Amino acid sequence: MAASHLLAKGVRQGAAPVTLEAHLLDTEQAAISLFAGDSRWALNFRRFFKVEETAAARLLLNLRLACLFHDVGKANADFLRAVTSNAPVLQTLRHEHLSALILHLPQVRQWLAANAEVDLDVVTAAVLTHHFKASEHVGEWRWCQHRGAARLALHLGHPEVRAILLRVAEVADLGPPPALPPEPWGPGAPWEPAYLSGLQAARRFRPGRGDDGSRAALLRAVKAGLIAADAAASGLVREGHSIQAWLDEVIQMPALTSEDIDRGVVERRIGFVRAREGGFTPRAFQLGAAELGPRALLLAACGSGKTLAAWMWAQAQARARRIGRVIFLYPTRGTATEGFRDYAGWAPADEAALLHGSARYELEGMRSNPSESTAGKQYTDDADARLHALGHWHKRYISATADQFLAFMEHGYASTCLLPVLADCALVIDEVHSFDARMFETLAGFLKSFNLPVLCMTATLPASRREALERCGLRVYPSSEERAKLEDLEWQESHPRYRLEPVEGEAQAMELARAAFNEGRRVLWVVNQVARCQSLASRLRAALGDGVRCYHSRFKLADRQEAHQLTVADFKQKSRAAIAVTTQVCEMSLDLDADVLISELAPPTSLVQRFGRANRHLARGLDFQARLVTYAPQGAAPYTEAELASSEAMLRALGAGAVCQRQLAEALEAHACGEPEPSGSTRFLEAGYFATPGSFRDGEDFTRPCVLDEDLKQAGALREAGRQWDGLIVSVPKRCVAKDVARPPWLPAHLGIAHGAAYDAWSGFHAEEIAS
């Protein structure tokens, strides 16, 4: 029996069903609203993808066709059962695989080819990859890899499908649409020839690998536009919003002006600094950042005021072009949160956003423990949270981890949904020294392939990376000539604020740490592995008391948040002794100001960043020099012997005694291990017909977020009550994930379970106590 209606989504209680025809038309209309015409949103989207304005109409035509075809494959018996049944249904084929297969029927291709502006391969590739679950060879995502039955009944003659084809004819100015096959999908004609035709086309279609940059730009823009339009049409209907009204509100937001940024963030931050320090005068190098143009690399010492310089650069970009927002990207959740507290948090709550994996939990914590910038503000919006990435489309000032916006380069779905926002911004990428090799490769590809005002910044950078970024079009600031004229920066970087003191090993460092603590000093000890961090902290606690802090990455989020806050507070004051043992988590953007910095040898870049956690603000006077104590660890892991040898050579060249930030930067350039030239190759840039997700970072497979077995009951109760339970999640090595604990059905698939016996609220998760 023919279905009276084809459905695009499952039917939610109390909500009207969403028919397939309605969803496809909604998606097309969302694409028109977002990307047609000369709105700032549409112009910036085309500029971002380097689509020439003369090709604007062609882009919109192909995008509209992709929107109308993307879910046509849902017109099948399995999908209809899946969205109308309470029981799970094993679907024979993925719906987007069927949609692309229909586009390779000869009568359909001949019909669409009547309009020379229709790029059949671009439309098919966008349709097939709009869930990033299509491959040529691999497993269940292989195009047309079936599960279960070898035949599948289709509803391609349904009036809703016919209505969509008539709409395609209208949009593309085509003749009457062809009849689609009544036969079920399965072996033989017409489906097998269509599949073989598709494979041949896919193997020929390699835009971006040759000289056809305009076709590559069209493909990438259509793919991204389809995903954004589909997300808007699906999410807004699901949450009961009027699609058109919601999109109009976002698209018609006025351009962000330099004055807006000044009133919203910069002047409020400066006012806070002025009140705290009794005055404030912008530094010459900060003012100079406003003259840099749309692509630059800002290199300045730790504590020199780079972030304020970046906001001044953003103000200049808002004067030079029409943008809608300012986005700061950081390498870690902790640095993104600190960046939000220090700057974006000053903006009105409805204009500011913090984006990372645990952002909602962090924002809720800010209500109970607010900083000056976030006091009295309500950031969490349940309606927007249910819209996921779309909930941030209207934000003006965003602090996020790099993954949130750049993971689209490796087919991250949520990141791709944010591409219209990214295209409409001035972008600041902080701490680029800390990007691992995969992240840096992605950054290079991003800078080469997309047109966007971008400021990268860090305190120190190996010469190989600086040169690579210069080749990507970034202008280094300050240059050596400019630096000589910037007296304030020159003085700050040449002032001898440190004293290098190499020691023989951990035992000697331990005696030095205890003595410094007993003298009333603030001591920060950085080691390369969590297990050593826990062991050292425990021994120091036994000797010095409960004031010892232990801080690393293997805490439950609630305990890590507390450890972070206590550690930062200990090093902000200078009236009493403090001591903390940490891992690499301390290296980036944390405002720790130690009197004594003890560190195991690490790669030169990491080591210099660790040194930047000492005497950052010259708070003990100009004559005070922080002690930088270094020693070789027992083993190189997680680094290589070559990396540690480079640091040994760097420290030998510097010698013992007084040293300034300039000397450290020059030594880093001379001794950091060189890296190969990044090719900029990523999945998004290389993909044609096929697309599967990749990893944005190196080593993402070593750990897994877990809930402790002893916390499962509490987590389940919080979830049932609709309350946040992210505070119970802890990342542990994959070998420590428990296999002998019953898994509750409500626990999300990405979360594992770990044994609570290996966990302590003060020292975190002890992986070495788990048998491998």
Side-chain angles (χ1 to χ4, degrees):
M1 181 183 296
S4 58
H5 286 293
L6 301 177
L7 298 181
K9 312 289 177 186
V11 180
R12 301 179 68 187
Q13 187 173 6
V18 179
T19 68
L20 180 58
E21 179 184 0
H23 173 63
L24 294 175
L25 293 175
D26 284 346
T27 305
E28 184 214 357
Q29 186 56 52
I32 294 170
S33 298
L34 289 168
F35 306 120
D38 58 358
S39 70
R40 187 193 74 248
W41 188 277
L43 288 170
N44 282 345
F45 186 79
R46 294 196 292 268
R47 182 197 67 193
F48 178 82
F49 284 99
K50 300 184 179 179
V51 174
E52 298 291 339
E53 282 305 303
T54 54
R58 189 170 190 231
L59 166 62
L60 188 63
L61 170 63
N62 285 275
L63 174 55
R64 291 172 71 183
L65 297 185
C67 291
L68 290 167
F69 273 109
H70 80 286
D71 277 355
V72 164
K74 288 181 176 179
N76 72 75
D78 281 358
F79 188 85
L80 191 58
R81 281 197 302 271
V83 294
T84 57
S85 172
N86 291 325
V89 174
L90 179 65
Q91 297 187 51
T92 302
L93 284 182
R94 291 194 59 85
H95 70 270
E96 70 271 27
H97 291 206
L98 270 171
S99 299
L101 192 61
I102 291 165
L103 281 163
H104 271 282
L105 291 166
Q107 66 269 38
V108 174
R109 291 185 80 75
Q110 183 178 0
W111 174 55
L112 293 172
N115 186 330
E117 293 300 300
V118 175
D119 191 318
L120 290 167
D121 288 325
V122 164
V123 172
T124 305
V127 166
L128 181 58
T129 62
H130 76 272
H131 286 298
F132 299 137
K133 292 182 178 179
S135 65
E136 185 175 359
H137 302 295
V138 180
E140 64 174 339
W141 291 350
R142 181 171 67 83
W143 187 18
C144 292
Q145 172 64 48
H146 68 90
R147 296 168 291 184
R151 290 191 176 274
L152 174 62
L154 307 178
H155 300 303
L156 300 184
H158 194 282
E160 289 189 34
V161 175
R162 188 69 180 174
I164 290 301
L165 295 180
L166 288 170
R167 177 60 178 168
V168 169
E170 179 184 2
V171 168
D173 194 21
L174 301 170
L180 299 183
E183 295 93 344
W185 171 86
W191 301 112
E192 192 167 352
Y195 171 68
L196 294 174
S197 166
L199 277 184
Q200 291 172 356
R203 289 165 183 166
R204 291 192 303 267
F205 185 57
R206 292 290 188 268
R209 297 187 183 184
D211 297 326
D212 192 358
S214 61
R215 199 177 188 205
L218 177 68
L219 172 67
R220 294 164 189 166
V222 171
K223 281 186 172 184
L226 170 58
I227 289 171
D230 183 32
S234 300
L236 296 172
V237 167
R238 182 180 63 242
E239 297 305 324
H241 293 279
S242 162
I243 297 176
Q244 195 61 53
W246 194 93
L247 291 177
D248 284 347
E249 183 179 346
V250 171
I251 296 163
Q252 294 171 12
M253 286 172 57
L256 190 65
T257 68
S258 175
E259 292 74 24
D260 291 334
I261 299 171
D262 193 52
R263 288 191 300 267
V265 176
V266 175
E267 188 52 47
R268 297 183 186 195
R269 170 66 181 177
I270 288 175
F272 166 69
V273 174
R274 187 178 288 120
R276 182 185 64 187
E277 299 181 2
F280 174 82
T281 302
R283 294 171 181 167
F285 101 93
Q286 293 171 327
L287 297 172
E291 309 301 323
L292 290 178
R295 290 287 182 102
L297 170 63
L298 195 163
L299 294 173
C302 293
S304 61
K306 290 189 295 294
T307 306
L308 182 56
W311 280 95
M312 292 179 175
W313 170 84
Q315 286 182 275
Q317 300 315 301
R319 289 191 292 270
R321 64 179 73 199
R322 296 173 69 229
I323 60 173
R325 59 216 80 230
V326 178
I327 298 174
F328 274 68
L329 299 185
Y330 297 89
T332 67
R333 297 179 184 187
T335 51
T337 300
E338 290 301 311
F340 181 86
R341 287 182 188 272
D342 287 346
Y343 282 88
W346 288 103
D350 60 347
E351 296 183 357
L354 173 64
L355 271 69
H356 58 63
S358 54
R360 290 187 68 197
Y361 182 82
E362 296 283 3
L363 290 168
E364 287 191 2
M366 289 181 194
R367 291 208 309 274
S368 57
N369 185 27
S371 63
E372 291 82 355
S373 63
T374 62
K377 295 178 181 176
Q378 168 64 267
Y379 290 104
T380 52
D381 181 328
D382 290 338
D384 278 356
R386 289 194 298 269
L387 289 173
H388 305 294
L390 270 67
H392 300 289
W393 277 16
H394 65 287
K395 299 297 187 180
R396 296 287 215 174
Y397 309 102
I398 300 175
S399 178
T401 49
D403 315 55
Q404 295 292 324
F405 281 93
L406 299 186
F408 81 92
M409 298 285 280
E410 288 296 321
H411 292 149
Y413 185 80
S415 175
T416 308
C417 291
L418 286 168
L419 271 175
V421 176
L422 182 64
D424 189 41
C425 85
L427 181 67
V428 179
I429 307 176
D430 200 5
E431 307 286 11
V432 292
H433 75 277
S434 70
F435 280 30
D436 62 37
R438 182 74 212 129
M439 293 171 71
F440 195 74
E441 181 87 10
T442 300
L443 176 61
F446 174 78
L447 292 170
K448 292 175 182 177
S449 303
F450 301 103
N451 183 355
L452 191 74
V454 180
L455 177 71
C456 293
M457 60 183 192
T458 187
T460 54
L461 200 63
S464 59
R465 287 200 166 186
R466 188 195 68 241
E467 292 163 2
L469 292 177
E470 286 185 275
R471 286 190 287 272
C472 290
L474 271 61
R475 175 257 215 251
V476 176
Y477 174 77
S479 65
S480 55
E481 295 79 10
E482 289 167 329
R483 199 174 289 273
K485 299 175 184 177
L486 297 171
E487 295 181 2
D488 53 349
L489 186 63
E490 180 72 16
W491 178 88
Q492 187 170 26
E493 293 187 347
S494 60
H495 180 73
R497 64 179 66 206
Y498 312 121
R499 178 168 293 278
L500 283 169
E501 297 182 27
V503 297
E504 289 301 317
E506 183 185 285
Q508 191 174 346
M510 175 69 79
E511 291 304 313
L512 189 152
R514 292 172 62 176
F517 180 84
N518 289 329
E519 292 170 3
R521 296 302 187 187
R522 298 167 299 171
V523 182
L524 181 64
W525 193 333
V526 192
V527 297
N528 300 337
Q529 292 189 318
V530 172
R532 284 204 293 275
C533 175
Q534 293 166 325
S535 173
L536 275 170
S538 295
R539 283 179 276 152
L540 284 168
R541 192 185 195 193
L544 303 176
D546 291 341
V548 176
R549 307 294 179 205
C550 180
Y551 182 44
H552 51 76
S553 60
R554 291 187 196 151
F555 283 96
K556 288 191 288 189
L557 184 55
D559 293 336
R560 180 170 178 172
Q561 190 179 75
E562 182 178 9
H564 174 100
Q565 292 169 352
L566 290 172
T567 302
V568 170
D570 278 352
F571 286 84
K572 277 190 175 179
Q573 60 77 39
K574 57 181 187 290
S575 60
R576 57 176 173 79
I579 190 165
V581 187
T582 78
T583 58
Q584 297 89 327
V585 296
C586 79
E587 289 177 14
M588 293 169 290
S589 292
L590 297 184
D591 196 9
L592 303 180
D593 197 352
D595 303 320
V596 179
L597 188 289
I598 304 172
S599 177
E600 295 181 339
L601 291 186
T605 304
S606 296
L607 197 60
V608 171
Q609 286 294 319
R610 294 177 188 185
F611 292 166
R613 305 309 108 188
N615 201 17
R616 285 171 64 82
H617 306 298
L618 304 176
R620 294 200 185 274
L622 299 183
D623 294 332
F624 177 79
Q625 292 177 345
R627 300 167 69 184
L628 304 181
V629 180
T630 57
Y631 66 96
Q634 294 177 346
Y639 306 117
T640 66
E641 295 285 355
E643 287 173 321
L644 299 195
S646 295
S647 285
E648 288 178 337
M650 180 180 75
L651 292 174
R652 280 197 304 271
L654 287 166
V659 67
C660 66
Q661 292 177 324
R662 174 69 52 76
Q663 290 171 288
L664 293 176
E666 291 171 350
L668 171 67
E669 288 209 10
H671 294 278
C673 296
E675 295 179 313
E677 173 71 14
S679 68
S681 173
T682 71
R683 294 187 180 218
F684 184 76
L685 298 179
E686 296 290 320
Y689 266 41
F690 304 113
T692 56
S695 295
F696 177 69
R697 298 172 184 262
D698 288 334
E700 289 185 319
D701 293 334
F702 296 146
T703 63
R704 185 178 180 187
C706 289
V707 178
L708 301 180
D709 50 8
E710 62 192 28
D711 289 335
L712 285 171
K713 184 176 180 180
Q714 182 185 359
L718 289 169
R719 177 183 175 275
E720 188 68 24
R723 296 173 58 192
Q724 282 289 307
W725 50 282
D726 290 3
L728 300 175
I729 296 173
V730 56
S731 287
V732 308
K734 282 192 172 180
R735 66 180 178 82
C736 299
V737 176
K739 299 178 177 62
D740 57 350
V741 180
R743 185 179 183 86
W746 54 264
L747 191 66
H750 72 282
L751 292 178
I753 300 172
H755 289 296
Y759 188 82
D760 175 76
W762 177 78
S763 57
F765 190 85
H766 289 255
E768 73 277 7
E769 296 181 8
I770 304 294
S772 59

